[in-house]
Amino acid sequence: MMNRPLQHQIDQPPQDEPAAWNEHALSADTLLDGKVRLRQPVLGYRAAIDPVFLAAAVAAGPGDLVCEAGCGAGAALLCLAWRIPACRITGIERDTRIADLARANAADNWFSERIDIIAGDIANPPDGLTGGSFDHVMVNPPHLDPARAQSPPDADRAAAMVEGDAAVADWIAFAYSMLRDRGAVTLIHRADRLDHVIAALDGRFGGIAVFPLWPAKGRAAKRAILRARKNAGGPMSLLPGIVLHGDDGRFTPAADAILREGRALEF
């Protein structure tokens, strides 16, 4: 994609590298046109636009408690913390090295007082996570079906992109367990796997809203964002979505408002 919102320059050097990394293993990047600093591995999974759109779609307000399942190095939760200064966010990440990195990224952005990073697995939530206590849960799970996908050779990248022990139903079950009644789950996934996502939401969540991300006019969506409320009623709705690129290949003004200005994605 052209004009990716990930930049490779920051105004000031970041803090010391976490102990598990060295200066050659991480890159110092930014999101939201330099508003958010993000150190992430040079190899393995690297954030692009998905976590930025996920954060933009979370309808959190001042004082809300938000949990991100599988937060990685923190791209989505950092963008959300920048947009909603008065919310509190807890990230859970299975890889302890990446969890340490997310914690350091929160400190680099002066968000440590509002962001807690917990190392742990959604299959066995660690101490520090209280079920039924969050207003929102956001999830960007591995998207690829292991039965059909060619797994990337890099193990860290494969773990982030290809479903492992936890299928999409397990991520949604975790969200259900963490949310208060009528709390909202917001999830981004591949459009060609929406049937799996909607099936996992059925019976637990209602008022499902599907928001497609169209690559360009006249092209099929490759990603979609879904939002639904725990134990709520209401029919499913298919929303107009957003067109990401114009005829010239550049991001549209609507996409730029989210990717560079940090605007909310209005459902």
Side-chain angles (χ1 to χ4, degrees):
M1 292 184 180
M2 295 180 65
N3 295 338
R4 290 177 63 176
L6 190 66
Q7 300 177 354
H8 293 273
Q9 299 293 328
I10 56 176
D11 294 333
Q12 299 175 12
Q15 296 182 1
D16 292 340
E17 308 296 350
W21 305 90
N22 62 54
E23 61 179 339
H24 303 295
L26 300 177
S27 64
D29 306 317
T30 69
L31 296 168
L32 303 183
D33 204 24
K35 300 175 181 65
V36 168
R37 302 179 183 195
L38 178 71
R39 283 180 290 165
Q40 57 182 338
V42 172
L43 302 176
Y45 173 78
R46 292 177 58 78
I49 68 172
D50 283 8
V52 183
F53 271 95
L54 176 64
V58 176
D64 280 358
L65 302 181
V66 183
C67 176
E68 183 179 9
C71 68
L77 57 81
L78 292 171
C79 290
L80 181 62
W82 182 88
R83 181 169 65 84
I84 310 292
C87 72
R88 292 193 60 88
I89 308 169
T90 299
I92 177 172
E93 171 55 47
R94 181 170 62 177
D95 188 324
T96 56
R97 297 177 311 144
I98 300 294
D100 286 344
L101 181 57
R103 203 171 290 116
N105 280 331
D108 283 351
N109 288 276
W110 299 281
F111 292 153
S112 293
E113 292 184 359
R114 295 195 291 117
I115 292 178
D116 296 316
I117 305 297
I118 300 175
D121 196 322
I122 63 165
N124 185 23
D127 294 339
L129 283 177
T130 302
S133 63
F134 290 94
D135 302 289
H136 302 270
V137 172
M138 58 179 178
V139 190
N140 181 14
H143 293 172
L144 299 179
D145 182 346
R148 296 187 295 171
Q150 182 175 355
S151 183
D154 180 85
D156 290 336
R157 186 172 176 81
M161 296 179 64
V162 183
E163 277 190 0
D165 296 336
V168 65
D170 298 307
W171 292 91
I172 289 172
F174 171 81
Y176 186 88
S177 70
M178 290 294 113
L179 285 167
R180 61 171 177 78
D181 203 38
R182 300 298 194 275
V185 60
T186 305
L187 178 144
I188 188 167
H189 216 289
R190 287 175 60 100
D192 62 4
R193 300 198 69 201
L194 286 181
D195 53 341
H196 296 270
V197 179
I198 292 169
L201 291 168
D202 187 45
R204 291 175 170 177
F205 292 87
I208 302 170
V210 181
F211 190 96
L213 304 180
W214 309 107
K217 280 186 178 181
R219 292 184 57 187
K222 294 183 178 180
R223 293 282 191 276
I225 298 172
L226 296 91
R227 185 193 294 160
R229 293 197 173 275
K230 177 179 177 178
N231 297 333
M236 186 176 75
S237 58
L238 179 59
L239 302 176
I242 185 173
V243 177
L244 299 179
H245 295 91
D247 294 339
D248 60 359
R250 297 179 180 275
F251 283 117
T252 61
D256 256 342
I258 292 162
L259 294 170
R260 299 188 185 280
E261 300 173 27
R263 301 272 185 91
L265 184 63
E266 300 294 341
F267 270 51

